[in-house]
Amino acid sequence: MGSVQIVTTILAAGITAVAVWLAVRAVMKMTAVIRLGQPAPERFADKGARTRKMLVETAGHTRMLKWGVVGAAHWFVMVGFIVLSLLVLEAYFEVVTPTGGLPVIGHWTVFGLATEIITVLGLVGILVLMAIRLRNRPSRPGGRSRFTGSTMWQGYFVEWIVLLVLVFGLVIRGFKVATDHFEYPVWATPVSHAVGAILPDWSDGASVAALIKIVISMTWLIVISLNVTMGVAWHRFLAFPNIFFKRDPEKPAGSGLGPLRPMTSQGKPLDFEEADPEKDQFGVAQVEQFTWKGLLDFSTCTECGRCQSQCPAWNTGKPLSPKLLVLSLRDHAYAKAPYLLAGGGKDLTGEEKATQAQLAHLDVLSLAEGDKPLIGTAEEGGVIDPDVLWSCTTCGACVEQCPVDIEHVDHIVDMRRYQVLIESSFPSEAGVMLRNLENKGNPWGAPQNTREDWTKGLDFEVPRVGEVDDFEYLFWVGCAGAFEDRAKKTTRAVATLLNEAGVSFAILGEGETCSGDPARRIGNEFVFQMLAQQNVETLNEAFEGREKTKRKIVATCPHCFNTLGNEYGQLGGEFEVVHHTQLLAHLVSTGKLTPVQPVDGGVTYHDPCYLGRHNRVFAAPREVLGDSIQGELTEMPRNSERSFCCGAGGARMWMEEKIGKRINVDRVEEAMATGAKTVAVGCPFCSTMLNDGVNGKGAGEQVEVIDVASVLLRSVKPEQPRGDKESTSVAG
């Protein structure tokens, strides 16, 4: 060992020792913060399925590759980080001797070939990612960037570190080539040999380059260890457990889509008959009241902004960005952690749990963080502004796009639950809707005895449960389908088509009440459970004696479809629920309904969030429309899993949209740009919002918004009148 090698070895050992010590300290701190969260015992079930899903999502990059170029580039960088860690390890042998290498595998030609390929592809990948970040930098002229609000220096730092590590890996090899100590042939490592051809014959070159590579790598580790909220770096490690512990590993897409998590206290579902607000947790009022998985979510955020780029609120000038919300909660959790770890915190009555002695050693900033309200305006020092909380439509676009499976919607609704149930703090106009649900069983406050008025004028009898001996499907009409003028046309169209196809069905009539979706999404879990338990009891009675596979329900509202099919199971209601477009597609494909008259003028289709993204029903409505128009559907640029929200979800249907551009107008402009004369929908909320948008644009005479069922009915029975667009919405 020469004098150069003695110096390089000592320096490499020194900086590595510092970096490892800091990293261990950082991991212990992050673990302590995450463990502050509430229990989530269900996250440990199905370990086999969780392991498979984690391996598929990480190794296969299934979610990242939804953005083709970015996903491919990131995959090469990820593989490079994992595999080329062996070359960082090899550098420790090379600082000792310039001819050093990894034991056993270090001399295998196949190892040299593999690492050469990965190095080159990693270089291409990181350069692509750097170019994308620069092209989309927040300071660029025009438009909002998905990186707006991200800590940009951290992104640049990580990318430059990756680039330099890869470059110096080639430099080390190049010096070995130049000194004729390289073990791999030219055909296996052509780039390394090309680098070696331009480097001098310096015997100590490999050791010096190896030291530089180690210093670069350990500098990265030191910097991230001193910045535990540096998600752009820490996600490399945290993504694996975060994906492993996702809510439902069997889901094909975002785990946080579809049903909401039930309200829990100490890891157990809350029983409202026995719950006590002074002993049981109602929603989330403090950051430590999120589950540990929530705190892991916040820690894992990569700040990539994919959620932000797809969010309808962010894209229409609202203050909500799913990314910035998560980052605010993350930063608050870690800033508050010293106070919490010292024993501080408020109990459920708002009293301080710690003694003065426990808090005496804390700095004033940590104590101040402990006093911040989780929800509050800037003047109140709140972590999350109320306008941010109430801008969410729960469309799920953020969850769909998140590459590390953060469950944004669950966290937002948990915060809403506390605001509604304990603070009674929510947009005032939504109060009317909640009172109507409690007193009338529907959001519009319509009399219950008018639930069957939609059947008037039909030329066939609509059977009711209890009046017929048997039926194949229970037709869940829903509140909109029963009371809202435009939606009633859809209800009649579906009933007519089912009757035409000879499908045996029945309705509950006045026995039906609201599914509870708007109450649950706004955060009023109490009203949701009251309505849901009533419906579950009614439905179980209607299906008495039937096994689950024969307890079939067809619904025209995706919100009812999602609630009945995905959430009633939490309350003992197990049913097979289909959306009407799924049933109609089946009836057409089996020849029970035959479209005869093509619908002309061009048709585009708007995917309802709770039908498409939340429940993956994309094909059925398109099949129905394709058969009805007997031609190609004109797709909007944002469609299927990337469809843009209409603005009605998350109980936003009953709240005023006072900030920024109206979401429905943005969507209508996109629909009108296709040139289609008919905008087909599969949801009564979407129908109302898009109709209002069309009328607001003064295009009511040129563009018609109608349900998929009405489009099919016009094709099956061309004599049907075209009066849908003349109706006015009572939901306006």
Side-chain angles (χ1 to χ4, degrees):
M1 181 185 291
S3 58
V4 171
Q5 282 70 43
I6 292 173
V7 173
T8 56
T9 301
I10 292 173
L11 291 176
I15 194 170
T16 300
V18 172
V20 170
W21 177 75
L22 289 173
V24 170
R25 191 181 70 167
V27 169
M28 291 176 64
K29 179 177 181 179
M30 295 177 76
T31 303
V33 171
I34 291 167
R35 291 183 61 170
L36 287 169
Q38 300 302 302
E42 73 281 1
R43 303 286 181 169
F44 294 91
D46 303 318
K47 290 185 178 65
R50 292 180 181 281
T51 302
R52 286 193 301 274
K53 178 61 72 171
M54 184 265 290
L55 292 174
V56 167
E57 281 198 23
T58 53
H61 253 41
T62 52
R63 296 172 70 76
M64 282 295 299
L65 286 171
K66 290 179 179 180
W67 291 33
V69 173
V70 177
H74 190 277
W75 187 85
F76 289 126
V77 172
M78 179 200 73
V79 172
F81 176 80
I82 295 172
V83 176
L84 299 183
S85 296
L86 291 172
L87 296 188
V88 175
L89 177 61
E90 186 176 52
Y92 286 92
F93 293 90
E94 291 161 339
V95 295
V96 176
T97 171
T99 61
L102 282 176
V104 185
I105 64 171
H107 299 282
W108 293 355
T109 299
V110 66
F111 177 72
L113 173 64
T115 50
E116 184 90 348
I117 292 172
I118 292 170
T119 297
V120 172
L121 293 177
L123 279 168
V124 172
I126 196 62
L127 288 171
V128 168
L129 294 179
M130 292 173 81
I132 290 171
R133 187 178 293 272
L134 286 169
R135 189 185 66 200
N136 292 282
R137 64 191 184 280
S139 59
R140 82 196 196 287
R144 280 185 164 187
S145 165
R146 65 185 176 96
F147 294 116
T148 298
S150 297
T151 314
M152 294 300 287
W153 75 262
Q154 294 180 353
Y156 293 135
F157 171 78
V158 168
E159 288 167 346
W160 273 102
I161 288 289
V162 172
L163 179 64
L164 291 173
V165 166
L166 293 171
V167 167
F168 273 90
L170 290 173
V171 171
I172 294 169
R173 287 184 163 189
F175 275 120
K176 286 186 174 182
V177 171
T179 56
D180 201 25
H181 291 119
F182 198 45
E183 53 267 88
Y184 307 123
V186 176
W187 68 264
T189 54
V191 178
S192 296
H193 279 271
V195 173
I198 62 175
L199 290 177
D201 181 0
W202 181 24
S203 59
D204 295 324
S207 293
V208 173
L211 173 63
I212 295 173
K213 181 175 181 177
I214 289 171
V215 168
I216 292 170
S217 301
M218 292 304 106
T219 298
W220 174 79
L221 188 56
I222 290 170
V223 170
I224 73 168
S225 297
L226 295 173
N227 293 273
V228 290
T229 59
M230 195 170 174
V232 69
W234 282 106
H235 83 274
R236 295 182 178 198
F237 310 106
L238 297 178
F240 297 96
N242 206 56
I243 294 170
F244 180 87
F245 289 116
K246 68 195 299 185
R247 175 143 61 90
D248 185 352
E250 299 292 356
K251 277 198 171 182
S255 174
L257 294 170
L260 286 171
R261 286 180 65 252
M263 267 181 67
T264 59
S265 181
Q266 294 300 312
K268 298 177 182 178
L270 201 63
D271 183 348
F272 277 99
E273 292 185 2
E274 300 178 359
D276 180 353
E278 294 189 1
K279 298 178 181 178
D280 297 299
Q281 182 180 314
F282 279 56
V284 169
Q286 305 289 335
V287 72
E288 65 272 20
Q289 291 177 350
F290 287 105
T291 66
W292 61 260
K293 175 56 169 66
L295 296 176
L296 178 59
D297 270 359
F298 308 151
S299 303
T300 308
C301 179
T302 72
E303 303 190 24
C304 67
R306 283 163 53 135
C307 59
Q308 181 171 286
S309 72
Q310 304 297 303
C311 176
W314 177 259
N315 277 288
T316 53
K318 315 290 190 293
L320 168 64
S321 156
K323 177 187 72 177
L324 297 181
L325 178 138
V326 165
L327 297 187
S328 296
L329 293 170
R330 178 198 68 188
D331 293 345
H332 173 58
Y334 281 88
K336 190 177 181 180
Y339 162 72
L340 295 172
L341 292 171
K346 305 293 192 297
D347 63 21
L348 295 174
T349 63
E351 295 296 319
E352 175 60 57
K353 293 187 288 188
T355 64
Q356 288 294 326
Q358 287 177 296
L359 303 179
H361 69 286
L362 294 179
D363 63 60
V364 67
L365 293 178
S366 295
L367 290 171
E369 203 72 31
D371 287 331
K372 279 188 176 181
L374 191 64
I375 307 298
T377 63
E379 292 76 15
E380 296 166 337
V383 179
I384 304 297
D385 191 277
D387 284 334
V388 169
L389 186 67
W390 297 110
S391 291
C392 180
T393 66
T394 69
C395 70
C398 49
V399 179
E400 172 77 36
Q401 291 299 328
C402 183
V404 293
D405 278 303
I406 293 172
E407 297 161 8
H408 312 71
V409 173
D410 281 340
H411 304 320
I412 288 171
V413 172
D414 271 341
M415 289 186 285
R416 285 183 171 188
R417 284 166 167 167
Y418 180 83
Q419 293 301 304
V420 172
L421 293 171
I422 303 301
E423 297 291 337
S424 296
S425 176
F426 50 87
S428 57
E429 60 270 22
V432 177
M433 177 269 291
L434 289 173
R435 286 192 295 275
N436 285 336
L437 287 178
E438 288 191 73
N439 300 326
K440 299 290 187 178
N442 68 84
W444 287 280
Q448 184 72 356
N449 61 10
T450 62
R451 268 197 181 268
E452 299 178 37
D453 284 1
W454 64 269
T455 62
K456 296 176 180 177
L458 293 174
D459 55 7
F460 59 91
E461 189 70 24
V462 176
R464 289 149 187 81
V465 172
E467 297 177 0
V468 289
D469 294 332
D470 195 20
F471 54 89
E472 183 179 4
Y473 286 95
L474 188 150
F475 181 13
W476 183 271
V477 176
C479 299
F483 301 121
E484 199 266 337
D485 288 342
R486 192 178 294 108
K488 284 196 281 188
K489 294 181 181 296
T490 300
T491 308
R492 285 195 286 269
V494 172
T496 301
L497 289 166
L498 295 182
N499 182 69
E500 185 79 10
V503 175
S504 171
F505 72 95
I507 63 171
L508 289 172
E510 294 183 27
E512 184 183 299
T513 192
C514 181
S515 68
D517 165 85
R520 188 169 227 197
R521 264 70 197 169
I522 203 174
N524 197 325
E525 185 74 5
F526 176 79
V527 171
F528 163 73
Q529 290 204 19
M530 178 186 72
L531 295 168
Q533 286 169 353
Q534 180 180 336
N535 281 324
V536 166
E537 185 178 338
T538 301
L539 290 168
N540 283 339
E541 185 178 334
F543 288 120
E544 190 172 3
R546 297 195 195 189
E547 62 222 42
K548 183 184 175 182
T549 56
K550 294 184 179 179
R551 295 155 67 93
K552 298 180 181 179
I553 298 174
V554 58
T556 58
C557 175
H559 297 265
C560 296
F561 165 67
N562 178 70
T563 303
L564 272 64
N566 294 329
E567 297 184 341
Y568 275 17
Q570 299 170 4
L571 299 168
E574 297 289 339
F575 314 109
E576 291 288 338
V577 187
V578 298
H579 189 252
H580 71 285
T581 58
Q582 293 175 296
L583 181 54
L584 294 178
H586 170 72
L587 295 175
V588 172
S589 67
T590 55
K592 294 182 179 179
L593 288 174
T594 305
V596 294
Q597 178 67 49
V599 177
D600 55 14
V603 177
T604 190
Y605 173 65
H606 163 78
D607 287 274
C609 300
Y610 273 85
L611 181 63
R613 194 156 37 238
H614 278 281
N615 285 285
R616 322 312 292 174
V617 180
F618 301 118
R622 287 174 168 82
E623 290 168 4
V624 173
L625 292 170
D627 289 326
S628 301
I629 64 178
Q630 298 179 23
E632 288 294 320
L633 190 68
T634 305
E635 291 281 12
M636 288 183 257
R638 295 177 292 191
N639 65 77
S640 302
E641 67 269 10
R642 291 201 192 184
S643 180
F644 198 68
C645 183
C646 74
R652 290 292 322 175
M653 178 87 166
W654 291 274
M655 300 183 223
E656 290 297 326
E657 196 169 346
K658 302 172 183 176
I659 305 172
K661 183 179 182 181
R662 293 182 67 86
I663 294 173
N664 61 334
V665 171
D666 192 294
R667 186 57 166 169
V668 160
E669 288 173 352
E670 184 175 5
M672 291 173 62
T674 66
K677 300 302 181 186
T678 299
V679 180
V681 298
C683 171
F685 291 178
C686 295
S687 176
T688 294
M689 299 300 286
L690 297 189
N691 263 294
D692 288 351
V694 167
N695 292 332
K697 299 290 292 184
E701 295 302 316
Q702 293 80 43
V703 178
E704 184 178 21
V705 181
I706 58 171
D707 192 87
V708 171
S710 295
V711 176
L712 178 61
L713 183 59
R714 290 177 183 176
S715 182
V716 171
K717 302 180 74 172
E719 72 278 4
Q720 290 294 311
R722 298 173 60 89
D724 298 78
K725 68 179 181 179
E726 297 172 5
S727 299
T728 56
S729 167
V730 299

